Amino acid sequence: MDNGSPLNDDKTMTLTEHLGELRTRILHSLAALGVGTAISSVFIDEIIAVLTAPATNLYYMRPAEAFFIYIKVALACGVLLAAPVLFYELWAFLVPALTGRERSALLLFVPSSVLLFWAGIAFAYFFVFPQGLNFFTNFAGGNIAPMLSIESYLDFFLMLVVPFGFIFNLPMVLIVLAQMGIVSSALLLRGRKYMVVASFILAAIITPTPDVITQTLLAVPMILLYEGSRMFIHYILRK
């Protein structure tokens, strides 16, 4: 009968067993990523068409440029498709650090992590990316017209959009840390002002655009996710 304490088999796991489990989780993740990338490559033309729709004309400057950017996009889309498996393997590896009762809560963590990841990607695609693209393509003005290569365009897209998927998983990270007793709602409350400053600093580092609007579009969700996590930990987890 589970009394809320770590299970015995987890207590006696050796370092070699932990490394073996980590290896298995990584292999499963790579396999899922490979399948997701293969599926994405089948529809790569349609994917590229959707991603490049906001741009007018794109060019490639080197013979292999289009080839390698197609591989990069297929890999990024593979991550999106493999997200359920990737997050499952992540949380499954962290399970031994939690008690039996907390393991049951992890059943909600995988779908929640996936949904938050996809929500972050969608938010960046529909709101942040257009703002950043508009800033750069209209920065020069006058008679200077932008001539974008497909590599620079899609690199800019991936660099701006993908981080949002991981940042939107901040609540999951904080909840797990709270379950492990590392953080509490009181600690998060004391650190809130530092989080606000850190959010804008991180937004300035992550976003390749120097305009305040784009950076705010990243910083504000981080602050809201942090505060929402704190309230959940305080009122639901009672920690």
Side-chain angles (χ1 to χ4, degrees), residues 100-171:
R101 185 184 62 179
E102 290 162 353
R103 293 171 186 221
S104 301
L106 283 179
L107 295 176
L108 298 176
F109 279 23
V110 174
S112 298
S113 295
V114 173
L115 291 176
L116 285 171
F117 181 76
W118 287 343
I121 297 293
F123 176 82
Y125 177 77
F126 289 108
F127 297 102
V128 182
F129 176 69
Q131 179 66 32
L133 182 64
N134 180 70
F135 175 84
F136 275 116
T137 54
N138 295 288
F139 179 77
N143 296 324
I144 303 177
M147 187 176 72
L148 303 176
S149 70
I150 186 172
E151 182 179 31
S152 62
Y153 173 85
L154 290 177
D155 278 348
F156 174 76
F157 175 85
L158 294 175
M159 183 170 55
L160 188 61
V161 171
V162 172
F164 275 81
F166 296 100
I167 289 172
F168 267 55
N169 266 274
L170 177 63

Side-chain angles (χ1 to χ4, degrees), residues 39-129:
I39 295 175
S40 300
S41 65
V42 175
F43 304 97
I44 191 63
D45 289 332
E46 292 79 2
I47 295 172
I48 293 293
V50 171
L51 297 183
T52 57
T56 52
N57 294 308
L58 295 174
Y59 309 88
Y60 63 91
M61 310 299 182
R62 300 186 302 273
E65 181 177 331
F67 173 77
F68 285 112
I69 197 64
Y70 271 51
I71 292 178
K72 189 181 297 185
V73 171
L75 182 61
C77 292
V79 172
L80 289 177
L81 294 179
V85 176
L86 299 180
F87 281 109
Y88 170 79
E89 296 298 336
L90 171 63
W91 294 126
F93 180 72
L94 296 177
V95 157
L98 302 176
T99 66
R101 185 184 62 179
E102 290 162 353
R103 293 171 186 221
S104 301
L106 283 179
L107 295 176
L108 298 176
F109 279 23
V110 174
S112 298
S113 295
V114 173
L115 291 176
L116 285 171
F117 181 76
W118 287 343
I121 297 293
F123 176 82
Y125 177 77
F126 289 108
F127 297 102
V128 182
F129 176 69

